[in-house]
Amino acid sequence: MAVLQKSMSFSLMGTWAASCLLLIALWAQEADALPINSQCKLEASNFQQPYIVNRTFMLAKEASLADNNTDVRLIGEKLFRGVNAKDQCYLMKQVLNFTLEDVLLPQSDRFQPYMQEVVPFMTKLSNQLSPCHISGDDQHIQKNVRRLKETVKKLGESGEIKAIGELDLLFMSLRNACV
Amino acid sequence: MMPKHCFLGLLLMFLTSTTEMQPAHVSLKLQKVQFQSRNFHNILHWQPGSSLTSNGSIYFVQYKMYGQRQWKDKIDCWGTTALFCDLTNETLDPYQPYYGRVMMSCAGSHSAWTMTPRFTPWWETKLGPLAVTITRVNASLRALLRPPELPNRYQIGKNTSMENYYDLVYRVFIINNLLEKEQKAYEGTQRAIEIEGLTPHSRYCVVADMYLPMLDRRSPRSQERCVRIP
């Protein structure tokens, strides 16, 4: 009888301990994931304003007419290769910041009136993503971003035009990755 | 056998080109090479540069996704005499940018390729109209909305529909023929709608459309369907 009772209480203890361990494990996992993903986020409402959506697509359309290089694409399957879904918003943040600083600002007098409306919108998204960081190794992400930057630099001004022509893709990728 | 008109066109171009380079070049170039897209059915259209070359000319079509190196031949439109080519199955992903291009051949000589602007179905396709059927149930109206059919591939697997690509809403309007006033009876995502509170002894007509809030676009309206409330 005593033996039976002992083994029973032992198995109860075991279950309790196991649940505790499981809870701790779950909690630890969540704590680990929380600081990364919660910051890399954009409100869906950013992408639901028809005026600016249309302006962004029209600007891209206008610039893409001036882009005769149909072989080279900046925002495509290659950019996301090897990048986890949860890190893609961080990746797009890098692309967005590069596009703002090295493409849109130097070209800001062109493609009016769209440019003067789209730049503040993109700037706003960039500000919202400023707390977005990832912990740990981001080398593979930086490698993909670097490839994009190098392509733009190598093509010179037509690379900048190409990047403007892909603002629709930038918009949709930000939406997919960050909302 | 050499097609007659085509040959005359080329001859004329040859003669003019000896004195002036520009016109010959312009007239051989294809015009208005562009996609026309409705409900994700993406048709490439073009026009011959000159009416003289339209008869007896044949056309060759290629396509690719933006960023790819290789152009692919569209076999169904390889040597076609038509002025359009259905590239729906080659442009199935609505979020991807595509290009098409066309070359004309006439009496053994051929034009340069003329390319479309970059084409993204999601942005450029025109939606609608809805098909509406209505039935009367006592003093209320039941309307069934049927969105246009998508190309085949979209329906394989899950029941993919327009709603997967756009956050669209359906809108139903009713017109009371006595009052001759139109009012919005419904706005939402349901396809089966019941409209109540109708006045007896009057005739009601129903039209519906689709609205895309993200793009602030509306589809053309459906055909009007009418019913009498006894």
Side-chain angles (χ1 to χ4, degrees), chain A residues 35-51:
Chain A
I36 309 166
N37 289 332
S38 64
Q39 312 269 342
C40 290
K41 217 158 178 47
L42 290 170
E43 289 297 323
S45 60
N46 286 309
F47 302 94
Q48 288 164 350
Q49 302 152 19
Y51 185 79

Side-chain angles (χ1 to χ4, degrees), chain A residues 28-131:
Chain A
Q29 201 174 24
E30 205 169 353
D32 190 29
L34 211 69
I36 309 166
N37 289 332
S38 64
Q39 312 269 342
C40 290
K41 217 158 178 47
L42 290 170
E43 289 297 323
S45 60
N46 286 309
F47 302 94
Q48 288 164 350
Q49 302 152 19
Y51 185 79
I52 204 66
V53 180
N54 283 311
R55 289 297 175 160
T56 306
F57 273 75
M58 277 148 87
L59 174 55
K61 180 93 192 175
E62 192 112 316
S64 74
L65 290 173
D67 179 11
N68 291 322
N69 184 346
T70 61
D71 298 357
V72 177
R73 176 168 169 180
L74 304 170
I75 300 174
E77 181 257 328
K78 246 188 210 161
L79 178 66
F80 298 101
R81 199 175 285 168
V83 181
N84 290 330
K86 70 174 176 61
D87 295 337
Q88 287 186 0
C89 184
Y90 177 74
L91 167 76
M92 289 316 297
K93 172 196 162 158
Q94 315 286 322
V95 176
L96 172 63
N97 288 347
F98 167 73
T99 306
L100 267 169
E101 286 156 31
D102 291 42
V103 174
L104 296 182
L105 294 181
Q107 296 283 345
S108 58
D109 53 339
R110 299 187 63 177
F111 303 113
Q112 296 298 350
Y114 309 119
M115 190 63 94
Q116 67 186 36
E117 296 167 327
V118 173
V119 169
F121 170 70
M122 291 289 170
T123 308
K124 189 180 80 179
L125 297 185
S126 165
N127 290 340
Q128 288 180 24
L129 285 174
S130 64

Side-chain angles (χ1 to χ4, degrees), chain B residues 83-144:
Chain B
L83 295 175
F84 61 89
C85 176
D86 188 343
L87 288 175
T88 301
N89 290 326
E90 289 71 27
T91 52
L92 278 177
D93 186 336
Y95 300 112
Q96 294 297 337
Y98 296 97
Y99 284 102
R101 65 178 190 179
V102 189
M103 180 182 73
M104 183 185 77
S105 173
C106 180
S109 63
H110 52 82
S111 71
W113 290 100
T114 309
M115 195 171 70
T116 64
R118 197 179 297 170
F119 166 70
T120 307
W122 184 84
W123 167 248
E124 288 174 56
T125 202
K126 293 189 165 55
L127 294 186
L130 291 164
V132 179
T133 51
I134 60 170
T135 44
R136 184 182 61 80
V137 183
N138 299 323
S140 60
L141 263 178
R142 196 168 288 167
L144 275 176

Side-chain angles (χ1 to χ4, degrees), chain A residues 148-163:
Chain A
L148 180 145
K149 289 181 182 175
E150 279 164 6
T151 307
V152 174
K153 298 286 179 212
K154 200 173 73 193
L155 294 172
E157 177 152 20
S158 62
E160 293 173 11
I161 303 297
K162 177 175 284 295

Side-chain angles (χ1 to χ4, degrees), chain B residues 5 42 202 212:
Chain B
H5 286 86
N42 310 323
S202 48
L212 312 179

